[in-house]
């Protein structure tokens, strides 16, 4: 237990350092966005004196290091600041949209993770068969298509041709769970098609590597059933790479929803990020980017800890 706690603390410290580095990169990258938020808000008819006064009011005339210090100090106190576009608290803008994004990612994970693991195990069990070749061909085809292309194909088939599902996933504030499921189905299918393919191939590769071990051959010679070999012998020893690939794809489900949310007009954090970039609303862009980065780092740190904890040889390395 002490080793696990020590490992967890080390990974959390590395995660915090990574988050600090990412926050600096986000601040510098957002500062290099073209355009001026003051000019965009006041319009082209505003005089240079008015724009300069408004920039001073917003604090945009301060040196970058000073502005970063103010932003970091606010973050340490749990204050995301105010939106430049409408002067509303950023936490208020993000609240509902963050929940929508996490709901979409959770639904996609509930669909994609079990399906991918099952398909990966079946592909490894029936390796080199027509079933394995069919799964691999389908997975490669799914990975080859970008998300927006898959989204438009699904819209064409299920919304335009068959008229089964709505093409726009806009959600009312008081939407019921059934309505959320109906309007989230096409975005969930779009995300799942790519994620299932990646996780299935990695699960298959990890299991095939373990199935080539001598102890698996000994189990076969003893007459152990294929199902017991997969679930009781191979899968536990292949957990580390499988956990890593599942965590990476879960991070993608949260971070990679930007394109999908824009295509389906889904009211999530990715849509807010794109809208804020178009408005040059720098604090909102920084807050959304930092949330995405923190989620990605947290899931990767969790995967690192779980994969090491699941392998005793990694928990007790040779001195």
């Amino acid at each position: 237990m002490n080793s696990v706690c020590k490992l967890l603390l080390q990974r959390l410290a590395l995660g915090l350092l990574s988050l600090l580095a990412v926050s600096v990169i986000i601040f510098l990258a957002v500062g290099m966005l073209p355009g001026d938020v003051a000019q965009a808000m006041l319009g082209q008819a505003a005089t240079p004196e008015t724009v300069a006064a408004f920039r001073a009011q917003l604090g945009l005339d301060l040196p970058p290091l000073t502005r970063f210090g103010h932003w970091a100090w606010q973050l340490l106190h749990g204050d995301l600041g105010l939106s430049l576009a409408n002067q509303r608290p950023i936490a208020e803008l993000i609240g509902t949209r963050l929940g929508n994004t996490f709901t979409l990612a959770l639904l996609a994970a509930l669909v994609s993770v079990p399906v991918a693991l099952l398909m990966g195990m079946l592909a490894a069990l029936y390796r080199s068969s027509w079933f394995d070749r069919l799964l691999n061909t389908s997975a490669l085809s799914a990975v080859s298509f970008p998300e927006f292309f898959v989204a438009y194909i699904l819209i064409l088939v299920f919304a335009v041709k068959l008229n089964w599902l709505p093409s726009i996933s806009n959600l009312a504030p008081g939407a019921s769970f059934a309505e959320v499921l109906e309007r989230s189905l096409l975005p969930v299918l779009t995300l799942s098609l790519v994620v299932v393919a990646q996780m299935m191939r990695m699960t298959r590769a990890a299991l095939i590597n373990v199935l080539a071990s001598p102890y698996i051959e000994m189990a076969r010679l003893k007459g152990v059933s294929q199902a017991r070999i997969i679930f009781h012998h191979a899968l536990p020893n292949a957990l580390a790479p499988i956990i890593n690939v599942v965590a990476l794809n879960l991070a993608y489900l949260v971070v990679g929803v930007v394109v999908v949310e824009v295509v389906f007009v889904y009211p999530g954090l990715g849509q807010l990020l794109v809208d804020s970039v178009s408005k040059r609303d720098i604090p909102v862009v920084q807050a959304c980017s930092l949330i995405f980065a923190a989620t990605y780092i947290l899931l990767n740190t969790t995967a690192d800890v779980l994969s090491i904890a699941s392998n005793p040889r990694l928990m007790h390395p040779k001195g």
Side-chain angles (χ1 to χ4, degrees):
M1 182 60 67
N2 290 333
S3 300
V4 175
C5 292
K6 182 179 178 181
L7 175 67
L8 182 60
L9 291 176
Q10 289 176 348
R11 293 302 188 271
L12 286 177
L14 289 175
L16 290 175
L17 288 176
S18 301
L19 190 59
L20 176 61
V22 168
S23 65
V24 175
I25 295 173
I26 289 173
F27 183 84
L28 295 176
V30 172
M32 290 188 292
L33 287 175
D36 186 358
V37 62
Q39 185 72 59
M41 293 175 65
L42 293 176
Q44 297 296 327
T47 63
E49 294 78 10
T50 305
V51 173
F54 192 55
R55 284 179 57 84
Q57 180 183 347
L58 297 177
L60 298 177
D61 60 334
L62 297 174
L65 185 60
T66 303
R67 287 189 283 117
F68 177 77
H70 290 167
W71 180 55
W73 182 255
Q74 287 179 329
L75 288 177
L76 290 176
H77 288 79
D79 183 12
L80 297 176
L82 296 175
S83 169
L84 298 181
N86 51 29
Q87 295 300 304
R88 290 176 59 190
I90 296 177
E92 180 183 333
L93 293 174
I94 287 177
T96 304
R97 289 177 174 265
L98 183 60
N100 290 339
T101 294
F102 281 153
T103 299
L104 182 62
L106 178 62
L107 292 174
L110 291 176
V111 172
S112 59
V113 173
V115 172
L117 294 181
L118 179 61
M119 291 172 61
M121 288 188 288
L122 291 175
L125 186 60
Y126 299 103
R127 179 179 42 175
S128 300
S129 66
W130 66 268
F131 180 73
D132 181 29
R133 290 193 290 269
L134 177 63
L135 287 182
N136 275 290
T137 303
S138 302
L140 286 174
S141 301
V143 172
S144 301
F145 295 126
E147 292 89 342
F148 67 88
F149 180 78
V150 175
Y152 286 127
I153 292 296
L154 292 178
I155 290 174
L156 177 64
V157 174
F158 292 102
V160 178
K161 298 295 185 181
L162 299 177
N163 198 25
W164 288 354
L165 297 169
S167 60
I168 297 179
S169 301
N170 53 341
L171 296 175
S176 63
F177 183 68
E179 186 177 355
V180 171
L181 285 179
E182 180 188 12
R183 295 190 175 274
S184 302
L185 189 54
L186 283 182
V188 166
L189 286 177
T190 303
L191 290 170
S192 298
L193 282 174
V194 178
V195 173
V196 165
Q198 294 174 348
M199 284 193 291
M200 186 275 290
R201 287 179 58 81
M202 291 300 297
T203 301
R204 175 185 178 276
L207 285 174
I208 287 177
N209 185 45
V210 174
L211 289 173
S213 303
Y215 76 93
I216 297 293
E217 186 65 28
M218 178 61 69
R220 288 198 179 99
L221 292 175
K222 288 182 177 180
V224 180
S225 64
Q226 287 288 352
R228 185 173 180 82
I229 288 176
I230 289 290
F231 289 103
H232 292 273
H233 297 285
L235 189 58
N237 289 285
L239 275 180
I242 291 176
I243 288 174
N244 276 324
V245 71
V246 168
L248 284 173
N249 282 277
L250 289 179
Y252 166 77
L253 287 177
V254 178
V255 179
V257 296
V258 177
V259 174
V260 175
E261 288 185 357
V262 171
V263 171
F264 291 101
V265 199
Y266 186 84
L269 202 60
Q271 182 69 52
L272 177 62
L273 175 63
V274 173
D275 293 341
S276 300
V277 169
S278 63
K279 297 176 183 176
R280 306 298 187 268
D281 199 344
I282 295 177
V284 178
V285 175
Q286 291 171 339
C288 294
S289 303
L290 192 63
I291 290 174
F292 282 138
T295 303
Y296 195 88
I297 291 173
L298 179 61
L299 288 173
N300 276 276
T301 301
T302 304
D304 195 12
V305 172
L306 290 177
S307 60
I308 293 177
S310 65
N311 192 336
R313 291 175 298 178
L314 297 178
M315 286 294 299
H316 304 284
K318 296 180 180 180

